[in-house]
């Protein structure tokens, strides 16, 4: 697989982001954010802004949004355009950029300094073949106090990378499907950076996702005889999700 030996290939179907969609994970993360009581927040990999719009609207309802600055970052120009079209009068800023790119370092630092007291990364970290460049950029930002990451982490001490090629879309190249970083790998890296205050909070959707044969890469749920609930997809991988909360 020469296509994947050096560079990650990751493509998105942006059409599914055009309509508002509220995920259960958003409510979970909002509660963690509320406990932080931040003055600013930036969401990395914000897509079309659903999480940020919900956060803004809920704060509006509680008359508590007047002191928090909210921003989102995504490298997809199309998704940022959708987010800007949908934000209406909401005071949420969106930036099209690759936060790990060398030529974006100064701009990324400015955004993190302005909005990054709390940084959220929801469902994005697992798309990176190496989590360290992204995480270190945030850890090295003096303004950041809390990092909240929703991702798939392996309970066993094994790092796994999965690539797939969706034949229903006539894809010719393999692309990154998901990276399962071991909790041990992430924990050791955080401790090496001098971070000791962090916790992996288990997360599982209350609703059940059913298999969609027309979109084999889409996640669905399976249950063991003991009643344990796992997420799976066409890659035949079974996994659980966590919310990693890092305090600096």
């Amino acid at each position: 697989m020469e296509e994947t030996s050096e560079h990650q290939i990751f493509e998105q179907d942006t059409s599914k982001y055009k309509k508002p969609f509220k995920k259960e994970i958003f409510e979970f993360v909002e509660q963690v954010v509320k406990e932080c009581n931040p003055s600013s927040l930036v969401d990395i990999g914000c897509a079309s802004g659903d999480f940020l719009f919900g956060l803004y609207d809920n704060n509006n309802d509680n008359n508590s949004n007047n002191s928090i600055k909210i921003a989102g970052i995504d490298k997809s120009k199309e998704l940022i355009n959708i987010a800007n079209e949908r934000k209406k009068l909401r005071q949420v800023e969106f930036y099209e950029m690759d936060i790990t790119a060398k030529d974006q370092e100064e701009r990324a630092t400015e955004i993190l300094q302005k909005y990054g007291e709390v940084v959220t990364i929801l469902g994005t970290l697992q798309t990176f073949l190496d989590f360290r460049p992204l995480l270190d950029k945030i850890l090295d930002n003096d303004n950041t106090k809390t990092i909240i990451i929703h991702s798939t982490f392996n309970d066993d001490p094994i790092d796994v990378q999965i690539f797939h090629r969706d034949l229903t879309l006539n894809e010719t190249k393999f692309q990154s499907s998901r990276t399962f970083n071991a909790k041990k790998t992430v924990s050791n890296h955080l401790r090496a950076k001098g971070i000791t205050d962090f916790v992996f909070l288990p997360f599982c959707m209350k609703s059940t996702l059913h298999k969609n044969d027309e979109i084999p890469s889409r996640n669905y749920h399976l249950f063991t005889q003991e009643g344990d609930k796992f997420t799976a997809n066409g890659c035949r991988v079974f996994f659980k999700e966590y919310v990693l909360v890092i305090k600096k």
Side-chain angles (χ1 to χ4, degrees):
M1 292 200 313
E2 293 182 0
E3 303 101 318
T4 60
S5 60
E6 295 182 358
H7 301 289
Q8 176 192 28
I9 300 170
F10 180 68
E11 299 175 355
Q12 291 176 295
D13 178 7
T14 57
S15 62
K16 65 181 180 180
Y17 292 93
K18 292 184 178 180
K19 294 182 179 180
F21 185 71
K22 187 173 184 179
K23 300 179 180 180
E24 289 184 24
I25 186 62
F26 293 167
E27 296 180 7
F28 189 100
V29 172
E30 278 187 34
Q31 185 58 42
V32 179
V33 171
K34 183 178 180 181
E35 294 171 0
C36 298
N37 191 29
S39 61
S40 65
L41 179 145
V42 60
D43 184 37
I44 297 176
C46 64
S48 54
D50 283 318
F51 168 66
L52 297 179
F53 294 148
L55 180 68
Y56 181 90
D57 292 344
N58 289 340
N59 282 338
N60 247 351
D61 292 340
N62 298 325
N63 295 318
S64 60
N65 73 312
N66 54 357
S67 61
I68 183 170
K69 297 180 292 187
I70 301 176
I73 295 173
D74 202 287
K75 67 177 183 179
S76 170
K77 181 177 182 179
E78 186 173 354
L79 289 176
I80 291 298
N81 287 340
I82 294 172
N84 279 318
E85 289 172 0
R86 291 176 50 206
K87 77 175 186 178
K88 299 179 181 179
L89 297 178
R90 297 182 180 99
Q91 295 179 15
V92 181
E93 298 300 320
F94 291 101
Y95 298 90
E96 175 204 340
M97 65 178 300
D98 181 352
I99 194 169
T100 62
K102 291 292 185 180
D103 60 351
Q104 296 287 310
E105 286 187 356
E106 184 175 345
R107 187 177 180 217
T109 298
E110 291 176 358
I111 295 172
L112 287 172
Q113 285 291 342
K114 184 175 181 179
Y115 295 101
E117 181 179 336
V118 169
V119 177
T120 55
I121 309 173
L122 310 183
T124 300
L125 193 70
Q126 65 259 25
T127 66
F128 285 80
L129 300 184
D130 185 353
F131 70 90
R132 291 169 296 182
L134 172 59
L135 186 56
D136 287 354
K137 184 175 291 291
I138 303 166
L139 290 172
D140 294 340
N141 177 51
D142 295 336
N143 184 45
T144 300
K145 297 180 180 178
T146 304
I147 306 168
I148 305 170
I149 302 172
H150 168 233
S151 191
T152 51
F153 295 103
N154 196 352
D155 292 322
D156 293 314
I158 301 173
D159 293 321
V160 180
Q161 294 175 349
I162 301 293
F163 291 84
H164 77 276
R165 181 170 60 196
D166 189 343
L167 301 182
T168 67
L169 301 177
N170 296 318
E171 290 180 350
T172 59
K173 295 183 178 180
F174 283 89
Q175 67 169 308
S176 174
S177 175
R178 193 176 295 267
T179 299
F180 301 84
N181 293 297
K183 288 182 181 177
K184 182 175 182 179
T185 299
V186 178
S187 299
N188 287 346
H189 183 72
L190 289 173
R191 293 189 182 102
K193 297 283 290 186
I195 306 295
T196 58
D197 188 357
F198 59 89
V199 60
F200 292 88
L201 304 175
F203 172 79
C204 184
M205 291 177 59
K206 296 177 182 177
S207 55
T208 299
L209 299 176
H210 299 283
K211 186 176 181 180
N212 186 332
D213 291 330
E214 295 182 357
I215 311 176
S217 61
R218 181 167 291 178
N219 292 338
Y220 59 91
H221 287 128
L222 291 175
F223 294 85
T224 65
Q225 291 182 340
E226 292 76 20
D228 291 330
K229 188 176 184 180
F230 287 86
T231 306
N233 54 38
C235 297
R236 290 299 185 265
V237 177
F238 304 90
F239 56 92
K240 291 189 176 182
E241 303 169 59
Y242 292 88
V243 173
L244 170 59
V245 182
I246 305 168
K247 299 281 188 178
K248 289 177 57 184

